[in-house]
Amino acid sequence: MWYGVSSIAARFLNYLLTPYLTDALLTSAYGEMQLIYSLIPFLNILFTYGLETAYFRYIQKKEQAADVYDTITVSLIISTVSLTTLMILFRGAIADIISLQDHTEYITWCAFIIGLDALTTIAFAKLRHDNRPVKYAVIRISGILVYIALTIFFLSVCPRIAKDNPDHFLLLFYKPGMEVGYLILANVAQSLFTFILLRKEFFAFRWRFNKTLWREIMRYSMPLLIVGFGGMVNETMDRIMLRWWSTSADPLTEIGIYSGCYKLSILITLFVQAFRMGAEPFFFKQSQGEHPQRTYARVMKFFVIAVCLMFLVVVLYLDIWKHFLSRETYWTGLRVVPILLLANMFLGIYYNLSIWYKVTNRTRAGATITFIGAGITLLINFLFIPSFGYMACAWATFLCYGTMMVLSFVWGQKVYRIPYAWKKLVAYIVIVVLLYGIAILFSKIGLGTAANFAFSTLLLALFGWFILNVEKKEFSRMPVIGKFIR
């Protein structure tokens, strides 16, 4: 809960910039920014190569805990310095790949962001393993606040100063028309600030390297690198592919619209991301106890119920949520939102399901599943982006995560059976989609906005009542909610 809430808080603060950025930047500039930030998480996977998950896997054996931290940290330092140097040397080629040839300096700045973030990965993991949620939360949120403050300074304060006092000394750091560049520089400052706050954890290692342990860790983590790459192809590569294959007269504007509407899946996206932060160490610890499968099944049930409710909260009130995007230009892409919400729901379920190959050391299975998902993403986008633009990206994401979810469930049940109440969970998902369809049909009657909202609220309340009755026994066992359910 602690790590999940802190992760949600940090990311939510970042998401709160969306209305500001969609207003402060042209849609094409917002698209350019999203193109850059599609590259960063992709390279983050390369820089960390599955070491975070490997750390949680191998740190469980207390007798080798010190060796694990030292070996992983030394490996990470050497690889980060090497990869950062290569990224700077080949910045021109990387800029060509994402069609930003005029801004190779962006790649250099991104190299420092990725390098610093990679170095703090295991330090953050150490805080999570050591059960230090307060420091973890403070550092995460402080970094975001630094980024927000610098963003507002460069995009709002500096232009105002330039207008009122052109000779002001602060303008030595400011150049009009470089808004996207300043967003990246603000991110560099955030990453450096975070590294400084984590210096104690980072420098807790000793410069020693256990080759035998490292080889074992690499055998475990390398398939996770493929999983990570495939995941990033599915999560962020669609913006880059949209830039490659779009036949639009202004592909950057199209990327901006799609990326803005993607932000409206905020509730489910934040929940899934926060769940990942807390679930991975929790699942590994549970695997050491008796009958962990029952716990995994119960967690899955509550997870699906939560994301179903979130789906309804967004789609039933989309006419309110759309104002999260400041310019009406973005509203033309709202039809992708329900598709992306379902896609992210499938992704969250897949993260739950993926525990089977992690605790059984079959990470190659995860690599295979993710590779199949990446293939689906690439194929659908290649075939349909020229004709359907960002709609193809949305459906590719939906089909990719849906396929990965089904494959992981079927394969996992054969290797490491977990008693998921899968028929009931599928029924919940189908029900919320049907309720959304009913709301759409009701809005066609034309009774007005107030009537539509009232009907949507009724549907949401009915689903909540239905869940409480069907899962009454489960809810009654919960520490706080159970007191109110008899």
Side-chain angles (χ1 to χ4, degrees):
M1 178 66 78
W2 271 99
Y3 296 113
V5 169
S6 64
S7 180
I8 286 177
R11 292 180 183 275
F12 185 69
L13 285 171
N14 204 11
Y15 271 105
L16 285 179
L17 275 178
T18 300
Y20 173 75
L21 291 175
T22 53
D23 181 60
L25 301 174
L26 295 174
T27 309
S28 58
Y30 187 74
E32 185 177 69
M33 182 193 79
Q34 293 300 319
L35 207 54
I36 289 290
Y37 281 93
S38 297
L39 177 69
I40 289 177
F42 197 87
L43 291 175
N44 270 334
I45 299 298
L46 176 62
F47 274 62
T48 55
Y49 48 99
L51 289 182
E52 184 181 31
T53 301
Y55 173 79
F56 286 120
R57 178 69 180 86
Y58 285 91
I59 204 71
Q60 301 302 319
K61 297 179 180 179
K62 294 182 180 180
E63 65 275 9
Q64 65 176 19
D67 268 0
V68 169
Y69 188 73
D70 294 343
T71 300
I72 286 179
T73 303
V74 170
S75 178
L76 195 60
I77 290 172
I78 295 171
S79 61
T80 299
V81 171
S82 302
L83 291 171
T84 301
T85 303
L86 288 172
M87 191 172 169
I88 293 171
L89 289 174
F90 293 98
R91 59 189 178 276
I94 297 172
D96 287 342
I97 291 173
I98 58 174
S99 303
L100 287 178
Q101 298 89 337
D102 297 332
H103 295 288
T104 55
E105 71 276 10
Y106 290 176
I107 307 302
T108 300
W109 300 338
C110 286
F112 289 109
I113 295 171
I114 299 165
L116 288 167
D117 287 350
L119 292 177
T120 58
T121 298
I122 304 304
F124 269 125
K126 189 175 190 300
L127 285 178
R128 288 161 64 191
H129 179 262
D130 293 345
N131 289 323
R132 300 178 65 191
V134 176
K135 184 170 185 178
Y136 178 94
V138 167
I139 294 175
R140 281 287 190 196
I141 294 173
S142 296
I144 294 294
L145 291 175
V146 167
Y147 175 73
I148 291 173
L150 288 174
T151 296
I152 294 172
F153 173 75
F154 284 125
L155 298 190
S156 293
V157 177
C158 284
R160 193 177 302 121
I161 293 174
K163 181 179 179 181
D164 299 336
N165 187 3
D167 297 322
H168 198 283
F169 77 94
L170 286 176
L171 297 181
L172 293 172
F173 308 98
Y174 177 71
K175 180 181 178 182
M178 207 182 79
E179 288 83 2
V180 174
Y182 286 126
L183 289 171
I184 300 171
L185 287 174
N187 207 157
V188 173
Q190 174 194 353
S191 298
L192 180 59
F193 178 77
T194 301
F195 179 79
I196 292 171
L197 292 183
L198 281 168
R199 64 189 183 280
K200 183 178 179 181
E201 284 70 29
F202 177 78
F203 289 108
F205 77 98
R206 289 177 291 176
W207 197 267
R208 61 179 186 176
F209 190 77
N210 186 325
K211 291 183 180 180
T212 303
L213 176 62
W214 183 79
R215 291 191 191 99
E216 187 179 346
I217 289 172
M218 287 301 102
R219 282 194 294 270
Y220 181 86
S221 67
M222 280 299 103
L224 293 177
L225 173 63
I226 300 173
V227 171
F229 269 137
M232 283 303 111
V233 167
N234 301 330
E235 287 186 43
T236 65
M237 194 71 175
D238 50 1
R239 281 74 153 182
I240 297 174
M241 290 185 280
L242 196 55
R243 183 71 176 90
W244 290 342
W245 301 321
S246 173
T247 55
S248 168
D250 189 0
L252 286 177
T253 296
E254 194 173 19
I255 293 169
I257 292 171
Y258 177 69
S259 299
C261 290
Y262 206 115
K263 297 285 187 181
L264 293 183
S265 60
I266 176 174
L267 278 182
I268 290 181
T269 303
L270 284 177
F271 182 68
V272 169
Q273 289 170 336
F275 178 83
R276 288 178 67 183
M277 297 298 295
E280 195 162 77
F282 171 77
F283 281 161
F284 277 125
K285 286 183 179 179
Q286 289 296 313
S287 68
Q288 306 297 314
E290 294 183 7
H291 309 298
Q293 294 91 335
R294 295 177 185 174
T295 301
Y296 301 152
R298 194 159 182 249
V299 169
M300 172 70 89
K301 180 183 290 186
F302 284 113
F303 179 89
V304 171
I305 290 171
V307 291
C308 282
L309 284 167
M310 291 174 186
F311 174 84
L312 287 178
V313 167
V314 177
V315 297
L316 295 180
Y317 302 100
L318 197 53
D319 283 340
I320 296 175
W321 284 95
K322 69 181 182 182
H323 293 285
F324 188 68
L325 306 172
S326 300
R327 296 174 186 259
E328 293 187 16
T329 310
Y330 293 92
W331 298 359
T332 57
L334 289 175
R335 52 191 174 154
V336 304
V337 175
I339 303 168
L340 292 172
L341 284 168
L342 287 171
N344 279 287
M345 187 186 298
F346 295 159
L347 177 62
I349 294 171
Y350 170 73
Y351 286 141
N352 269 277
L353 294 169
S354 66
I355 190 61
W356 72 266
Y357 64 73
K358 292 178 180 177
V359 299
T360 59
N361 290 345
R362 298 178 185 234
T363 50
R364 290 185 180 180
T368 301
I369 293 169
T370 309
F371 185 76
I372 292 170
I376 291 171
T377 299
L378 290 168
L379 180 63
I380 293 176
N381 281 320
F382 175 74
L383 292 176
F384 297 108
I385 280 178
S387 300
F388 299 99
Y390 53 71
M391 284 302 297
C393 297
W395 281 111
T397 304
F398 174 89
L399 292 170
C400 162
Y401 291 149
T403 302
M404 288 170 60
M405 175 184 68
V406 172
L407 284 175
S408 185
F409 173 75
V410 174
W411 194 345
Q413 291 300 88
K414 292 178 180 178
V415 176
Y416 186 80
R417 191 176 186 284
I418 299 173
Y420 296 119
W422 67 270
K423 292 181 181 178
K424 184 184 287 188
L425 301 184
V426 169
Y428 292 161
I429 296 171
V430 171
I431 288 170
V432 295
V433 172
L434 290 175
L435 289 175
Y436 169 59
I438 292 169
I440 292 294
L441 292 175
F442 183 83
S443 66
K444 303 284 186 186
I445 299 174
L447 296 179
T449 304
N452 291 340
F453 284 152
F455 187 70
S456 294
T457 303
L458 175 63
L459 292 177
L460 182 62
L462 282 173
F463 182 72
W465 174 84
F466 169 74
I467 290 294
L468 282 174
N469 279 274
V470 173
E471 301 292 349
K472 188 174 182 179
K473 184 177 179 181
E474 282 282 14
F475 283 113
S476 66
R477 294 165 56 192
M478 296 181 71
V480 178
I481 298 175
K483 295 179 181 178
F484 303 95
I485 299 175
R486 295 288 185 268

